[in-house]
Amino acid sequence: MEKTWNNKAWFMVLPVLVLVAFSAVIPLMTVVNYSVQDTFGNNEFFWNGTQWFTDLLRSQRFWDSLSRNLIFSAVILALEIPLGILIALNMPKKGAWVSVCLVLMALPLLIPWNVVGTIWQIFGRTDIGLFGYVANALGFDYNYVQDPVDAWLTVIIMDVWHWTSLVVLLCYASLVSIPDAYYQAAKIDGASRLAVFRYIQLPKMRRVLTIAILLRFMDSFMIYTEPFVVTGGGPGNSTTFLSIDLVKMALGQFDLGPAAAMSIVYFLIILLFSWVFYTVMTATDAQN
Amino acid sequence: MNLNFTWMAWTWPTAGFFLAILFLIVCMGIWEYVSPGGNPRTGILRFETTRGDRLFISLLGAAFIHIAWLGLMDASLWWALLLSAGYAICVFLFV
């Protein structure tokens, strides 16, 4: 039977289109408009051309925040993905412990970002925080308020604590869907634990891992609340990521033009990465 | 109903920019109507792209060409536009 095409179905998409227009397209257009103008408030704007973009792209401040953000994303991906796989591999597949493990894993994901920040802000304090106090009692000179390395360490551990569960749950869902027949065949062939992982489990997890990497990259690249609550971007500017810098510029300094230019560049970087990941994902699917 | 859009701070150049993108999308719609199916093919990037994908790659690339131009060069931005047009033609021919 020949498939009939009915283009009227496209009208069904119209409500979503209107919704997206209000929630994304109109604000984005406004940001583009702001990025070529200067304002001192009161809805009065002055044409500034592409000067904000030139200033931004030639400022050390922007490149510093961007590099900090990229380093942060790379570090948390390098930690969360292997750790997530390792935990998922070792989680029970059957029995009463499954529910317990799943609930424990889901717990950090249920906590709002600002609460996570507050938890770690207190947890890391050297006077009343368990982590900070114990670290100092053990002889480590740990103080995230004064030391940039300690601040980075705290923000990274916090993110790993908060988000590794997501990788675990995604990998776990993929692992439990592997039929027993694969493992039986591997056993008959005398495959080692490593070979089972390399040739059965990893290929099966490939798709969810791509999704996990994509999600974690996007989220870490846009991270704001948690480091803002814990370090406020400090000490100095050591944990000022792009989003924190953007908010400082837009709301702290009320420089709407430069902030709009920065938003657009930020948006384009995210769009590029999303497109690359999406293309890799769909191309892999097509190959399979 | 009195709609007030002054908060959007419209300017003629930015309006022109968005109208140009709208025009491109409409043209793609007409192209699709005339020759349906999106002309999927595998080009030099070694994965399947349709016309829509190629427009997206062209626009995204054009944005980065303009940004790189602003960051690195002092010459007029029209050259970046020219370069982007050349890039878009290459994308539509080879990707």
Side-chain angles (χ1 to χ4, degrees):
Chain A
M1 205 177 91
E2 195 160 318
K3 217 176 183 180
T4 51
W5 284 94
N6 184 359
N7 280 326
K8 279 180 189 147
W10 284 107
F11 285 107
M12 300 289 186
V13 188
L14 216 59
V16 177
L17 214 64
V18 173
L19 207 70
V20 171
F22 273 96
S23 67
V25 180
I26 291 176
L28 188 67
M29 282 174 162
T30 311
V31 170
V32 172
N33 291 338
Y34 277 28
S35 72
V36 290
Q37 296 177 87
D38 197 5
T39 182
F40 303 104
N42 213 16
N43 246 359
E44 278 183 60
F45 294 90
F46 307 93
W47 176 254
N48 195 32
T50 53
Q51 193 55 47
W52 295 135
F53 288 94
T54 312
D55 290 350
L56 175 84
L57 295 163
R58 294 176 190 195
S59 78
Q60 196 55 44
R61 176 179 164 175
F62 170 72
W63 293 107
D64 285 347
S65 323
L66 180 63
S67 350
R68 277 193 286 268
N69 227 150
L70 288 171
I71 293 169
F72 176 72
S73 295
V75 171
I76 66 113
L77 279 181
L79 290 173
E80 287 175 16
I81 301 294
L83 192 63
I85 295 173
L86 194 73
I87 297 173
L89 285 172
N90 289 297
M91 264 170 69
K93 309 285 182 292
K94 285 180 206 130
W97 284 102
V98 173
S99 319
V100 177
C101 286
L102 284 177
V103 169
L104 277 177
M105 279 295 133
L107 268 180
L109 299 174
L110 300 175
I111 304 172
W113 286 264
N114 52 348
V115 179
V116 171
T118 312
I119 289 173
W120 280 85
Q121 204 253 7
I122 296 169
F123 193 46
R125 278 177 62 165
T126 49
D127 50 355
I128 56 166
L130 184 65
F131 181 64
Y133 186 82
V134 170
N136 276 284
L138 290 173
F140 296 104
D141 186 21
Y142 169 85
N143 189 342
Y144 73 83
V145 183
Q146 286 170 357
D147 191 283
V149 177
D150 294 346
W152 265 82
L153 199 73
T154 313
V155 173
I156 287 169
I157 297 176
M158 173 177 65
D159 200 84
V160 170
W161 175 82
H162 194 187
W163 289 109
T164 305
S165 308
L166 180 78
V167 184
V168 174
L169 293 177
L170 284 171
C171 291
Y172 184 76
S174 171
L175 283 173
V176 291
S177 71
I178 301 174
D180 260 350
Y182 283 79
Y183 294 113
Q184 285 160 7
K187 209 170 185 180
I188 292 166
D189 289 345
S192 66
R193 181 72 194 86
L194 196 69
V196 171
F197 174 70
R198 170 71 185 80
Y199 296 104
I200 297 175
Q201 291 168 324
L202 199 58
K204 281 280 171 192
M205 284 194 291
R206 197 166 151 179
R207 192 177 152 73
V208 287
L209 277 178
T210 322
I211 296 171
I213 292 171
L214 174 65
L215 285 175
R216 284 314 302 133
F217 176 78
M218 291 300 134
D219 228 21
S220 62
F221 200 67
M222 297 189 291
I223 195 164
Y224 174 76
T225 316
E226 295 137 301
F228 182 75
V229 173
V230 177
T231 63
N237 276 332
S238 59
T239 53
T240 301
F241 301 120
L242 271 178
S243 57
I244 296 179
D245 205 16
L246 184 61
V247 172
K248 268 187 191 172
M249 201 184 270
L251 301 178
Q253 301 162 219
F254 204 69
D255 282 336
L256 295 185
M262 190 171 168
S263 306
I264 291 169
V265 176
Y266 196 176
F267 168 69
L268 285 172
I269 297 170
I270 290 183
L271 197 61
L272 177 72
F273 277 110
S274 306
W275 177 77
V276 169
F277 276 116
Y278 176 77
T279 311
V280 169
M281 217 159 80
T282 45
T284 319
D285 272 3
Q287 273 172 10
N288 292 338
Chain B
M1 195 167 69
N2 184 21
L3 285 174
N4 184 355
F5 283 105
T6 48
W7 63 273
M8 281 186 81
W10 279 105
T11 64
W12 282 111
T14 48
F17 167 72
F18 284 113
L19 284 174
I21 292 178
L22 184 70
F23 173 74
L24 286 173
I25 294 171
V26 170
C27 286
M28 295 297 283
I30 295 169
W31 195 356
E32 182 64 23
Y33 184 76
V34 175
S35 147
N39 186 24
R41 64 154 193 247
T42 306
I44 51 166
L45 291 180
R46 290 189 302 159
F47 56 80
E48 199 177 76
T49 54
T50 60
R51 260 179 240 137
D53 294 328
R54 293 193 278 274
L55 178 71
F56 180 78
I57 297 168
S58 304
L59 289 176
L60 192 61
F64 277 99
I65 288 171
H66 280 81
I67 282 177
W69 194 275
L70 284 170
L72 301 169
M73 314 289 265
D74 289 317
S76 166
L77 203 58
W78 292 106
W79 290 108
L81 186 66
L82 203 69
L83 194 65
S84 303
Y87 165 75
I89 291 169
C90 289
V91 168
F92 270 83
L93 286 177
F94 305 115
V95 172

